[in-house]
Amino acid sequence: KTVEKIAYISTVGGESHLFTMNLDGSNKVQITKEIPIAGFRQNELEFTWSNNGNAIFYPSFNKLYSVNLDGSGTQLVYETGINEFISEVASNPANNLLAIKSNNALGYEVKIQTINPSNAALVATIVEGELGAYGGLDYSIDGTKILYTHDVSSVENSQYRQLDSRIFEYNIANDTTTEIDTEKPSGFNNLDAKYAPNEGHVIYVYTSNDGFSEKRIYRKQIGVSEEDVEAELLFVDAFMPNWE
């Protein structure tokens, strides 16, 4: 369903809340009020639209909520352990399942899981017990694959600095994980990976691992080598892409 709206996060009174606006930037509406979007690092938090476009799922510490586009009907749909902060959530159009990423207060001890929000049931655990930072969560259109990034250096530090973050795709049917190779040089990270609408490409943030250099958004075709098709630069000095 196309709702002709953009959802985004903005700070109100020291809290982060969800807003919607029209595609031209008009009619800004705050849809979360009493329960903010919150958890580990504001710039690591993400939300997702429901299948029908009538609601948004968002995390608040160890709880996942849904809220209608008019701000009504806020409901708790899932809850993790007390020290497991839900940071990212992704939906798919094919089924009712959600993918969520949770982590501890430092961003580590990550779990990537699929859940059923209609009955608060855990369906499957995809990542658990691995070292290093994860992110860039997305769910394929047909509900068969999950996209994410992982810092394969496995370094964990109080600054949450990632050293070698790469893009991976997990196939639910055969329980395999494949790296989407962008020929990234050492010293750089691929972050915030998302599928294109036709899933023929992924978009992602490319930046130095120093944590403060310029961020660029690239597009890479899936299933071809870097020698055949190079990644295409889309935006300079940008981050947190989402392709609808």
Side-chain angles (χ1 to χ4, degrees):
K1 179 179 178 179
T2 302
V3 296
E4 300 294 326
K5 294 284 186 181
I6 295 174
Y8 63 98
I9 302 171
S10 187
T11 302
V12 179
E15 293 181 334
S16 296
H17 284 278
L18 286 174
F19 288 73
T20 62
M21 63 181 177
N22 294 337
L23 299 183
D24 63 2
S26 63
N27 192 28
K28 295 179 175 64
V29 177
Q30 181 179 342
I31 64 170
T32 57
K33 294 179 174 65
E34 294 185 1
I35 303 174
I37 181 169
F40 168 73
R41 296 198 175 203
Q42 181 175 330
N43 62 347
E44 298 293 332
L45 298 176
E46 295 192 4
F47 56 87
T48 194
W49 293 84
S50 64
N51 279 354
N52 59 17
N54 293 333
I56 291 176
F57 295 98
Y58 73 98
S60 189
F61 297 106
N62 69 321
K63 297 179 174 64
L64 185 70
Y65 292 92
S66 66
V67 59
N68 297 329
L69 287 194
D70 62 1
S72 68
T74 301
Q75 293 184 350
L76 174 65
V77 297
Y78 193 74
E79 185 173 356
T80 60
I82 191 65
N83 295 317
E84 298 177 15
F85 296 162
I86 300 172
S87 297
E88 301 184 39
V89 55
S91 62
N92 72 86
N95 58 50
N96 190 44
L97 303 184
L98 300 174
I100 62 171
K101 188 206 85 170
S102 62
N103 47 260
N104 64 16
L106 294 176
Y108 303 117
E109 296 182 6
V110 168
K111 293 180 183 178
I112 295 178
Q113 299 171 309
T114 52
I115 64 168
N116 188 336
S118 64
N119 59 7
L122 172 64
V123 177
T125 297
I126 294 159
V127 171
E128 184 178 18
E130 301 291 335
L131 294 174
Y134 284 78
L137 189 67
D138 205 5
Y139 212 152
S140 69
I141 294 171
D142 60 4
T144 65
K145 299 181 179 69
I146 291 176
L147 191 73
Y148 62 86
T149 62
H150 177 216
D151 179 9
V152 298
S153 75
S154 299
V155 168
E156 299 187 350
N157 54 80
S158 60
Q159 294 78 35
Y160 198 63
R161 180 180 172 183
Q162 302 184 48
L163 301 184
D164 189 7
S165 181
R166 305 182 185 188
I167 304 171
F168 295 89
E169 186 178 56
Y170 174 78
N171 188 307
I172 294 173
N174 58 24
D175 190 27
T176 59
T177 301
T178 305
E179 180 180 353
I180 297 177
D181 188 10
T182 64
E183 296 293 324
K184 176 186 67 63
S186 60
F188 288 80
N189 285 322
N190 289 336
L191 306 166
D192 292 333
K194 302 294 178 185
Y195 285 114
N198 67 0
E199 296 187 358
H201 294 78
V202 293
I203 55 174
Y204 60 94
V205 173
Y206 171 79
T207 186
S208 169
N209 71 12
D210 60 19
F212 56 82
S213 289
E214 177 187 76
K215 296 178 174 64
R216 297 186 172 199
I217 295 176
Y218 279 83
R219 171 172 60 186
K220 176 70 169 66
Q221 188 172 346
I222 301 175
V224 296
S225 68
E226 184 71 12
E227 291 78 11
D228 295 330
V229 179
E230 293 185 356
E232 177 188 0
L233 175 63
L234 299 179
F235 303 102
V236 176
D237 196 20
F239 63 99
M240 291 187 75
N242 193 15
W243 197 348
E244 300 293 342

